[in-house]
Amino acid sequence: MNDVSVNGVWLSTLNILLVSRDLPPLPDTEENTIKLAGRDGVKNFGSTYAARPLGLGLFIMGDDYYGTVANLARVFDVKNGPAIVIFDDIPQKRFIAEYRGSMAFDTSTGNRKIDVPMKMDDSWIESIQDTELREYGDGLSFGEGYFYISDSSFPITASGQTFTVNNEGSTLAYPLIRITGAFTNLSLSDGSQTLTITGSAGANDVFELDSDLDKCSVRLNGVNAWSRSNGVFFVLEPGETTFTVTATSPNITVEVIYRYQYLY
């Protein structure tokens, strides 16, 4: 561990060395309780995770101290919004964090040691790439974490066909379901919920059903198509989920696109 990337900039290229990091194995918890009049104690509705702090200890190298600090300030400028942080010794995971608080300078090192406080509003760590299938020859590099043989893209040519998705993360995933191709009156079931899409789709049509809690959208070729569905959105538990597709004359590809999320 001696390098960190912030929004694609490896700090070693700026003559900045990563010498320490503060990453707690678990975020702090927040209790969800209410006090009821006339009753002792509180009513507990369980605990949730708070935002997770992320601290970086950086050392300024080279002779151009002030120029390097200026570059560092531009990298962590809060106006840039949340940053994608990747450590060289954990290259398959990314941390979405933002500069919070104030930088602390260690005077014993001539101010060359700088502590940068950050915070992850979403306390879960993510896989560096999502599960979307990429093809060889797309200009991508080996080792970047892309999926060239995907377990999340499935050709469906018969009604009643099944496929299994394996969520390798440690928490729930809210996927984008992309359905490309021709069918009539499609149903997609995970055994407990069933999504339906009414009517017909052509060979070049693309339905996208986004389960993200901030979106929950249904689109056909980029246009709102909520009325074509029954508004069911899937949530993937850790481990395997088996789906069953039923439709008239299906000739489609179903992609289940999401990132694995981890506690640590």
Side-chain angles (χ1 to χ4, degrees), residues 221-239:
N221 302 326
V223 178
N224 181 20
W226 183 276
S227 63
R228 295 280 299 272
S229 82
N230 63 341
V232 167
F233 295 97
F234 294 108
V235 179
L236 301 178
E237 297 276 354

Side-chain angles (χ1 to χ4, degrees), residues 88-157:
D88 63 344
D89 61 332
I90 320 174
Q92 281 74 44
K93 296 181 179 180
R94 71 179 198 171
F95 305 76
I96 309 299
E98 192 172 52
Y99 170 64
R100 300 280 174 83
S102 60
M103 292 186 180
F105 291 79
D106 183 352
T107 57
S108 69
T109 64
N111 287 348
R112 287 188 174 270
K113 171 72 162 49
I114 302 176
D115 292 316
V116 180
M118 304 185 77
K119 184 169 287 188
M120 300 169 61
D121 291 333
D122 183 343
S123 55
W124 294 86
I125 303 164
E126 298 182 337
S127 58
I128 192 172
Q129 301 297 344
D130 60 33
T131 59
E132 184 174 7
L133 181 65
R134 272 80 171 184
E135 301 291 340
Y136 285 111
D138 281 350
L140 308 175
S141 299
F142 180 79
E144 291 182 317
Y146 292 100
F147 291 81
Y148 297 108
I149 302 175
S150 177
D151 64 353
S152 298
S153 178
F154 309 93
I156 305 295
T157 57

